[in-house]
Structure formats: structure tokens, C-alpha cells
Amino acid sequence: MVDDDAGIRWLVHRILEAAGYRVMMAAEGAAALRAAESGLLDSRCAIHLVLTDLDMPVLDGFEVGRRLAAWRPPVPVIYMSGTTYGLSHRARLPPDAHLIEKPFSAHALLREISLVLPTAAAASRSPAP
């Protein structure tokens, strides 16, 4: 879970842990990519999904998603935004991107995750082209 807002990280962490997910958090994009890379190397801390804010300093959510999409297998991403910047730049996202607008409810977040995780699990079992 990547967001430069500590309050959002805390809230999403609570929602996800209450739903039974293990959560790693990062305050910026570069740290998230390092954590995801370590998950690819160590199956005990595998990253199955990344939630990232779009509007962050230095390495924004657009770039985090672009880099994760290039990995094999790609790490699925759900983008989050509540700013006019993030929401007005939706065209930069891949056509099949998942986006949830802030503020969101716990129910909406968990519903979006349930849509993405089964697809991600199936893709990780498929042989690479």
C-alpha cells in the first residue's frame, strides 16, 4: 500500500488487516518498488497486489504502476486518487486499470480488491509467453 498521506496509510492498513490481508506500507513510490522487488525474490513476503496513490512526489503512482506492469509476472495495481490532478489524468492509466476514488468506503475498497486478486492469481499460474 503506497500513499504519501500517513492517515490514508493507517486507515487502509486497518481495513485490510481486519479483512485478513497482510499489509506492507510505503510512503513513496521508490520504497514500494523496493518492497515489491524483495517480494519477487522471497516467496515468504510475496506481493500479490499493490494499492498506490496516483499523486505522490518524486515517483508517482503512474510510474509505480508502469514499472510493476513490466515485471514478469506483472504485479496487479489498484490506483487511488482524491485529487483533481490524479483524477484528471486517468488517460495515462492502462485501459484495464482499476481506479478507486478517495474518499472510499471499506466496502468499496474490499470489493475492488476482490475483483483484482482472482485475476492476479490466475495470471501468476499461467506460463509466460
mmCIF file of all heavy atoms in Angstrom, residues 17 39 76 84 124:
data_model
loop_
_atom_site.group_PDB
_atom_site.id
_atom_site.type_symbol
_atom_site.label_atom_id
_atom_site.label_comp_id
_atom_site.label_asym_id
_atom_site.label_seq_id
_atom_site.Cartn_x
_atom_site.Cartn_y
_atom_site.Cartn_z
ATOM 1 N N GLU A 17 -6.166 -5.316 7.167
ATOM 2 C CA GLU A 17 -5.850 -6.310 8.199
ATOM 3 C C GLU A 17 -7.115 -6.882 8.825
ATOM 4 O O GLU A 17 -7.176 -8.067 9.109
ATOM 5 C CB GLU A 17 -4.912 -5.712 9.240
ATOM 6 C CG GLU A 17 -3.511 -5.590 8.689
ATOM 7 C CD GLU A 17 -2.436 -5.752 9.728
ATOM 8 O OE1 GLU A 17 -2.671 -5.428 10.911
ATOM 9 O OE2 GLU A 17 -1.345 -6.204 9.335
ATOM 10 N N GLY A 39 9.709 -8.932 -2.577
ATOM 11 C CA GLY A 39 8.658 -9.949 -2.589
ATOM 12 C C GLY A 39 8.814 -10.914 -3.741
ATOM 13 O O GLY A 39 8.468 -12.091 -3.632
ATOM 14 N N PRO A 76 -0.328 -6.851 -10.066
ATOM 15 C CA PRO A 76 -1.534 -6.054 -10.298
ATOM 16 C C PRO A 76 -1.565 -4.818 -9.403
ATOM 17 O O PRO A 76 -1.043 -4.838 -8.281
ATOM 18 C CB PRO A 76 -2.673 -7.013 -9.964
ATOM 19 C CG PRO A 76 -2.071 -8.057 -9.106
ATOM 20 C CD PRO A 76 -0.615 -8.142 -9.452
ATOM 21 N N THR A 84 -7.656 16.410 -7.893
ATOM 22 C CA THR A 84 -8.039 16.722 -9.268
ATOM 23 C C THR A 84 -6.925 16.345 -10.226
ATOM 24 O O THR A 84 -7.183 15.942 -11.349
ATOM 25 C CB THR A 84 -8.391 18.213 -9.420
ATOM 26 O OG1 THR A 84 -7.306 18.999 -8.926
ATOM 27 C CG2 THR A 84 -9.654 18.545 -8.662
ATOM 28 N N SER A 124 -0.664 -15.473 -12.421
ATOM 29 C CA SER A 124 0.610 -15.953 -11.885
ATOM 30 C C SER A 124 0.783 -17.449 -12.110
ATOM 31 O O SER A 124 1.891 -17.947 -12.109
ATOM 32 C CB SER A 124 0.721 -15.612 -10.396
ATOM 33 O OG SER A 124 -0.185 -16.392 -9.645
#
